[in-house]
Amino acid sequence: MSSQRKPAGDTVISVTGLTNTFGEQHVHENLDLEVKRGEILGVVGGSGTGKSVLMRSIIGLQPFSAGHIEVLGHNTAGLDEAAAKDLRRKWGVLFQDGALFSTLTVAENIQVPMREFFNLPPALMNEISGYKVAMVGLPIDAAPKYPSQLSGGMRKRAGLARALSLDPELLFLDEPTAGLDPISAANFDTLIKTLRDTLGLTVFLITHDLDTLYAICDRVAVLGDQKVLKVGTIDELLEFDHPWVQAYFKGPRGRAAHKGQD
């Protein structure tokens, strides 16, 4: 585990010419994107622009029609089973609403990746899962509870603890603050930024939350018209002359989020 944030700069995710097609529907057409080491990259776009499809393509859950994806220097389409498994160990994923296994406790959910990749004694797995529970700000008595016994915010933190189970280099987050009240959402944003800085993570973050974009994202990628329209800081996006981008960042909510950072 890294104790310091690694310097940003080199590319850890490279997507080139990505095409995703579902029947007659083209979600992505020749999409390009780079994610730099150590950054929190926000991914935004209107409904149907394929934000989650892009993430699933990168982590190998969505076969794509054409293109090239490299993660940590490896072509994801050209790996044998053992190499692909080794690469998957280097990232963690928080799906929407945590996506916890309802019949497993929080501790058991956190231990799922450990059981998949390693053969660890139960006592060690219990110790590690307890550490992960504390890392994401959950009380230790959350470990033996089931997802149905947790609030929505606690379920997301439990899902985050599972995503961090194997000390990954990359963290993928799909709408992590959706459904949270403003205070809980702000606290979750702070947690993500702290974990990035402390553990040296690179974060790929799908969100609709303008407050999150302003608070923690180093750059933002805007999806639209079947591709990435623009990648840049929010200041750069504010100057980008595209109707959706202007409406998104300069609409009432965008102005409120901007004002909140002043």
Side-chain angles (χ1 to χ4, degrees):
M1 177 189 300
S2 171
S3 61
Q4 295 182 345
R5 179 183 171 189
K6 298 177 183 178
D10 55 313
T11 300
V12 293
I13 301 173
S14 176
V15 180
T16 307
L18 180 68
T19 297
N20 271 301
T21 304
F22 299 93
E24 298 297 318
Q25 181 186 9
H26 287 257
V27 177
H28 302 136
E29 186 73 44
N30 203 32
L31 181 151
D32 297 331
L33 179 66
E34 288 190 347
V35 182
K36 303 296 184 182
R37 183 179 300 279
E39 75 173 339
I40 300 178
L41 178 77
V43 179
V44 302
S47 178
T49 54
K51 301 178 292 295
S52 295
V53 173
L54 172 59
M55 186 189 84
R56 292 170 64 87
S57 296
I58 294 171
I59 63 177
L61 294 180
Q62 175 63 53
F64 47 92
S65 304
H68 181 85
I69 297 176
E70 284 192 7
V71 179
L72 296 170
H74 298 279
N75 177 3
T76 58
L79 299 177
D80 60 32
E81 184 176 347
K85 184 175 181 179
D86 184 63
L87 183 59
R88 289 197 306 272
R89 188 176 61 81
K90 297 177 181 177
W91 65 58
V93 184
L94 172 61
F95 294 101
Q96 294 185 25
D97 198 39
L100 298 169
F101 296 106
S102 61
T103 58
L104 301 181
T105 66
V106 169
E108 290 167 341
N109 266 281
I110 296 170
Q111 292 169 14
V112 167
M114 303 180 208
R115 298 179 187 279
E116 178 183 358
F117 290 95
F118 301 109
N119 183 22
L120 301 176
L124 179 57
M125 288 196 293
N126 288 333
E127 182 177 350
I128 294 172
S129 59
Y131 173 63
K132 301 302 180 181
V133 164
M135 178 185 288
V136 299
L138 286 172
I140 193 62
D141 63 3
K145 292 182 178 179
Y146 290 91
S148 61
Q149 297 174 291
L150 305 177
S151 68
M154 292 177 73
R155 283 196 300 273
K156 295 203 181 213
R157 287 178 183 256
L160 179 61
R162 184 178 63 189
L164 295 170
S165 176
L166 301 181
D167 298 334
E169 296 181 45
L170 303 175
L171 185 60
F172 293 89
L173 308 175
D174 193 353
E175 299 284 4
T177 59
L180 299 183
D181 65 82
I183 294 175
S184 296
N187 289 339
F188 200 94
D189 288 341
T190 300
L191 173 62
I192 294 302
K193 189 174 188 300
T194 299
L195 291 171
R196 186 279 302 269
D197 294 343
T198 304
L199 304 179
L201 297 168
T202 301
V203 182
F204 181 101
L205 168 62
I206 298 171
T207 187
H208 284 102
D209 194 330
L210 280 152
D211 290 328
T212 296
L213 298 177
Y214 273 95
I216 67 171
C217 291
D218 299 296
R219 295 190 304 152
V220 178
V222 181
L223 271 60
D225 303 334
Q226 303 175 344
K227 62 182 183 295
V228 174
L229 296 171
K230 178 77 173 178
V231 183
T233 64
I234 290 181
D235 286 341
E236 291 170 337
L237 293 174
L238 288 170
E239 300 300 320
F240 182 55
D241 186 19
H242 184 279
W244 190 91
V245 176
Q246 289 294 307
Y248 185 73
F249 285 101
K250 293 186 177 180
R253 292 187 177 183
R255 293 195 300 270
H258 185 272
K259 185 177 180 181
Q261 300 301 309
D262 294 338

